[in-house]
Amino acid sequence: MDLSWMAWTTPVAIFFVVLVCLITAMGIWEYFQPGGGPRVGWLRFETTRGDRLFLSILSAGFINLGWIRWTDQSLWWALALSIIWAVFIYRKC
Amino acid sequence: MNKTWNNKAWWMVVPVVLLVAFSAIIPLMTVVNYAFQDTFGNNEFYWVGIEWFEDLMESDRFFDALQRNILFSCIILAIEVPLGIMIALSLPKSGWKVNVYLVLMALPLLIPWNVVGTIWQVFSRTDIGLLGNTLVSLGFDYNYTRDVLDAWITIVAMDVWHWTSLVVLLSYSGLVAIPEAYFQAARIDGASKWATFRYIQLPKMRGVLTIAILLRFMDSFKIYTEPMVLTGGGPGNSTTFMSIDLVKMAIGQFDLGPAAAMSLVYFMIILLICYAFFTVVTNMDKAETKTGGAS
Amino acid sequence: MSQIGFSLKPKRAFAWSGLVPVVYIIFLMIPLYWLLNTSFKTNQEILGAFTLWPKNFTWDNYLTIFTEPVWRAGYINSITYVVLNTLISLVVALPAAYAFSRYNFLGDKHLFFWLLTNRMAPSAVFVLPFFQLYSSVGLIDTHIAVAIAHTLFNLPLAVWILEGFMSGIPREVDETAYIDGYSFPKFFVRIFMPLIKSGIGVAAFFCFMFSWVELLIARTLTITEAKPISAVLTRTVTGEGVDWGLIAAAGILTIVPGALVIYFVRNYIAKGFALGRV
């Protein structure tokens, strides 16, 4: 089967590998500690570990897009900001 | 309902996951790849970094389409939801008439979307259409292919025609589920019609209405076929919604990279809304089971 | 018990509120009437004189459709992949919905969310590489390709609807059956499926509906062999000198299968919507 049309590149491959690793890690964590530690935080609805991971990845995407729109700086800053934001989500949501 | 913990249940879900993943994840991965590359055909790609995202974020084209999408969704929600509730309230609760009404009302839902566009094209063109011709001969300056406002009115009317029935059917099923005892109690208390609606019917319909609103929002947010057939995105770009723009870019101009970048941003917005949808619905289910499962 | 409306004062309010659905249905029917009207006219009449009903009544448009193989094939193609899709969706969704309604398992909530996102996402997002994807597995221009592609949004929907119906069946039913010595497949087919048959009907209705009305994916995945009727219709629109009568007749004919399906499931419609899981 010819897969050249998928046009894989290293950075995108790394991105997806990291994503798969994250999901697998969450799966293993969930397997040993089921339930996902639900709690009601800053967002006012119940979130589990998985929700928090999803929210941080999604908001990282939006932070990067906003960065592209409103600044001309390097995207690494946006990444740093996303990580700070992710930590915030993990602790407060 | 208390469910048991059983990881073997995964085996029953695997076929679904495989089938959906085939059509969802592989294309999505490909789209991410395209979004960072340029191509001149023949499967030859060149890495361009975030150029397409810069183009997308710094031009107004995407944000204009996004604004149009949001405006459209808000307009049709503001019309379809109250109208749907009103019609559902006025339907009798039983009898042969209801069946006839429901069947007739469900009809637009089963018409292929491009045929819906065609129907409204045939209906509102000024040369051959009943609506267009009548309006023009009444002296209105109506032409949905030239006037922006007319185009919008026609598209909104088309969507109301197409989808209000969904809100009606959902609200109606919510209404039928209310036990008669509630109405008797209201009658004994001498409650006004408005009071009955406000304090009995509306709260009982909350569940189905939330779903109706969210579904109509999602579906209007991804609208493509009907306006594509009716106006083709025109006049100018005034009815070019995001899906239309996307398909224009991808298939019309074969700009795979920019189209892929736009797909991703579009998909992220959808994920965000979908997450809100899912959270609201699951919390609603939870609240229902806590109060004793009033389904 | 006599017929009781939602209004509290049936006598006075009834006359007014009874009119609302009638007015709404008239609003729904006018564009449809106009399509029907156009389909019975000759092209000279459509473009020339503005008439509220056909002056020169003609069956020609319909005859053209029934005699030309492209149109007929379009119908058969559409119905083939829609039926295939409905069958695949139901067969695969039934056990999955059972799993979701009866068990908690690793990542079930997130899995369900992911499935739903596919129902909500615009096809335009995925459709970009669809042609290459289905070409690479050699399925392009086949009915099964469209049927599989449509499971993208129909499977999540079917799982969602069926899960709702199954959650309404008490667990005791399952447990009693197992105690009586039923194996799981036997229990599922003999006892459980008859219990949720209205749910299966509703799920089938919606799978049919969304597969039937979809155009973008179906058009992308087909060239000639499996081209759906709605795609045949658009090809005509782009031709020079639009044949409005023919388009109208074809449009009317695409409405017929939908109308038939609604007629058959009319008693389930309200029930299915009652779960609100569309």
Side-chain angles (χ1 to χ4, degrees):
Chain A
M1 197 160 61
D2 179 27
L3 283 181
S4 62
W5 55 271
M6 284 185 82
W8 279 105
T9 53
T10 326
V12 177
I14 292 172
F15 171 75
F16 276 108
V17 169
V18 169
L19 208 61
V20 169
C21 289
L22 273 174
I23 293 171
T24 317
M26 294 306 274
I28 294 169
W29 188 1
E30 182 74 14
Y31 185 78
F32 288 106
Q33 276 181 17
R39 61 165 186 248
V40 180
W42 175 73
L43 281 169
R44 307 268 210 87
F45 55 79
E46 203 177 84
T47 55
T48 60
R49 287 193 288 266
D51 291 316
R52 292 193 280 272
L53 177 70
F54 171 76
L55 283 176
S56 9
I57 293 174
L58 190 60
S59 42
F62 280 112
I63 289 171
N64 278 282
L65 286 178
W67 196 266
I68 292 173
R69 179 157 173 80
W70 283 297
T71 68
D72 290 327
Q73 312 292 314
S74 158
L75 265 186
W76 294 108
W77 294 109
L79 189 66
L81 191 66
S82 317
I83 290 170
I84 296 170
W85 177 244
V87 171
F88 173 77
I89 285 183
Y90 266 77
R91 312 205 60 167
K92 292 284 175 191
C93 289
Chain B
M1 177 174 302
N2 48 343
K3 302 179 189 175
T4 42
W5 183 268
N6 186 351
N7 273 332
K8 279 186 193 142
W10 255 102
W11 292 111
M12 298 193 212
V13 189
V14 164
V16 170
V17 173
L18 288 180
L19 264 177
V20 177
F22 178 72
S23 301
I25 291 183
I26 299 176
L28 202 63
M29 284 174 161
T30 314
V31 167
V32 177
N33 279 310
Y34 288 172
F36 294 97
Q37 299 179 81
D38 196 4
T39 179
F40 304 105
N42 297 329
N43 275 344
E44 282 172 44
F45 290 91
Y46 308 91
W47 177 263
V48 294
I50 57 162
E51 197 183 311
W52 304 132
F53 289 96
E54 277 172 342
D55 286 355
L56 193 69
M57 286 291 119
E58 279 155 17
S59 77
D60 288 332
R61 184 174 169 178
F62 173 75
F63 288 93
D64 287 348
L66 179 63
Q67 268 171 14
R68 274 178 227 124
N69 261 96
I70 293 172
L71 180 67
F72 177 72
S73 296
C74 291
I75 294 176
I76 61 116
L77 279 182
I79 298 175
E80 287 174 15
V81 173
L83 187 66
I85 296 175
M86 198 179 83
I87 294 163
L89 281 172
S90 63
L91 282 173
K93 217 170 186 175
S94 55
W96 62 270
K97 265 195 200 162
V98 180
N99 266 337
V100 176
Y101 287 163
L102 289 181
V103 168
L104 287 175
M105 283 179 187
L107 197 55
L109 300 174
L110 259 287
I111 299 174
W113 292 342
N114 62 321
V115 177
V116 171
T118 310
I119 290 174
W120 277 80
Q121 206 179 15
V122 171
F123 184 57
S124 40
R125 277 178 71 104
T126 45
D127 53 348
I128 61 167
L130 180 63
L131 179 73
N133 206 310
T134 313
L135 283 176
V136 169
S137 49
L138 284 174
F140 289 99
D141 185 21
Y142 172 87
N143 189 337
Y144 75 87
T145 50
R146 271 196 226 120
D147 189 87
V148 174
L149 187 66
D150 291 348
W152 269 80
I153 292 173
T154 315
I155 286 183
V156 168
M158 175 172 69
D159 202 80
V160 168
W161 180 85
H162 191 181
W163 286 112
T164 306
S165 299
L166 187 82
V167 185
V168 175
L169 291 174
L170 279 167
S171 318
Y172 181 72
S173 58
L175 282 172
V176 181
I178 305 175
E180 185 56 31
Y182 283 88
F183 294 103
Q184 281 164 358
R187 252 191 301 267
I188 291 164
D189 290 348
S192 71
K193 224 178 145 183
W194 168 251
T196 319
F197 172 69
R198 175 67 190 79
Y199 296 105
I200 296 178
Q201 291 169 323
L202 197 59
K204 284 281 168 192
M205 280 198 293
R206 219 196 68 207
V208 278
L209 273 184
T210 315
I211 290 165
I213 291 170
L214 289 164
L215 269 176
R216 279 314 301 133
F217 183 81
M218 298 298 306
D219 283 347
S220 63
F221 203 72
K222 62 180 196 187
I223 191 163
Y224 167 75
T225 317
E226 302 98 309
M228 186 62 209
V229 174
L230 185 65
T231 65
N237 273 332
S238 61
T239 56
T240 305
F241 298 110
M242 287 204 287
S243 283
I244 295 180
D245 209 15
L246 188 54
V247 175
K248 254 187 203 168
M249 235 188 258
I251 295 167
Q253 304 158 354
F254 210 68
D255 285 335
L256 282 189
M262 184 172 169
S263 289
L264 285 184
V265 180
Y266 196 177
F267 189 61
M268 278 165 59
I269 298 171
I270 293 285
L271 274 182
L272 187 69
I273 302 170
C274 198
Y275 183 75
F277 173 88
F278 190 67
T279 313
V280 168
V281 172
T282 43
N283 282 4
M284 214 161 59
D285 280 355
K286 240 176 244 167
E288 263 176 19
T289 42
K290 263 178 203 159
T291 55
S295 62
Chain C
M1 195 161 57
S2 68
Q3 189 180 327
I4 301 167
F6 292 120
S7 63
L8 289 175
K9 298 168 196 157
K11 264 187 190 161
R12 227 198 281 159
F14 189 69
W16 284 109
S17 65
L19 269 181
V20 176
V22 176
V23 171
Y24 175 66
I25 286 171
I26 290 172
F27 164 66
L28 293 185
M29 289 305 138
I30 289 175
L32 286 181
Y33 166 73
W34 194 250
L35 192 73
L36 190 68
N37 179 19
T38 311
S39 75
F40 287 125
K41 288 179 183 175
T42 59
N43 271 318
Q44 286 91 335
E45 193 183 344
I46 294 169
L47 293 167
F50 183 75
T51 45
L52 287 177
W53 53 86
K55 288 264 154 54
N56 304 313
F57 188 89
T58 173
W59 285 100
D60 283 357
N61 298 318
Y62 290 94
L63 280 179
T64 316
I65 290 173
F66 284 123
T67 47
E68 266 183 37
V70 189
W71 288 99
R72 224 182 17 230
Y75 272 101
I76 294 166
N77 290 337
S78 287
I79 289 171
T80 313
Y81 73 69
V82 169
V83 170
L84 266 176
N85 169 269
T86 310
L87 285 178
I88 295 174
S89 300
L90 284 181
V91 169
V92 178
L94 273 167
Y98 183 79
F100 278 116
S101 83
R102 290 296 190 259
Y103 302 111
N104 278 319
F105 48 92
L106 199 64
D108 51 353
K109 249 186 75 191
H110 303 297
L111 186 66
F112 205 72
F113 171 67
W114 170 68
L115 284 176
L116 273 186
T117 57
N118 294 312
R119 161 68 181 80
M120 300 303 183
S123 323
V125 167
F126 298 111
V127 96
L128 207 53
F130 257 32
F131 190 82
Q132 283 98 326
L133 172 64
Y134 281 86
S135 301
S136 74
V137 290
L139 281 178
I140 207 75
D141 207 18
T142 58
H143 300 114
I144 195 79
V146 185
I148 290 175
H150 280 181
T151 59
L152 178 64
F153 47 81
N154 270 348
L155 256 184
L157 183 71
V159 172
W160 200 20
I161 294 174
L162 289 172
E163 194 263 342
F165 276 90
M166 287 179 183
S167 298
I169 309 283
R171 281 195 73 96
E172 285 73 33
V173 175
D174 310 27
E175 279 150 17
T176 322
Y178 293 139
I179 292 166
D180 288 352
Y182 277 90
S183 66
F184 175 73
K186 212 172 160 195
F187 150 74
F188 199 82
V189 177
R190 291 266 179 83
I191 298 178
F192 200 68
M193 276 171 59
L195 281 176
I196 52 155
K197 65 171 189 288
S198 59
I200 296 175
V202 172
F205 170 73
F206 282 109
C207 289
F208 185 96
M209 164 176 162
F210 282 107
S211 183
W212 176 254
V213 298
E214 206 277 342
L215 171 71
L216 188 58
I217 291 178
R219 199 181 52 190
T220 311
L221 291 180
T222 55
I223 307 161
T224 49
E225 287 299 304
K227 194 156 75 173
I229 182 66
S230 36
V232 179
L233 196 68
T234 33
R235 302 274 160 101
T236 319
V237 178
T238 50
E240 30 99 30
V242 185
D243 193 344
W244 290 110
L246 197 60
I247 289 173
I252 288 292
L253 288 176
T254 58
I255 299 173
V256 173
L260 284 177
V261 168
I262 297 179
Y263 181 77
F264 283 124
V265 298
R266 64 191 180 284
N267 294 323
Y268 292 124
I269 289 179
K271 226 186 197 173
F273 277 103
L275 276 154
R277 305 206 156 165
V278 192

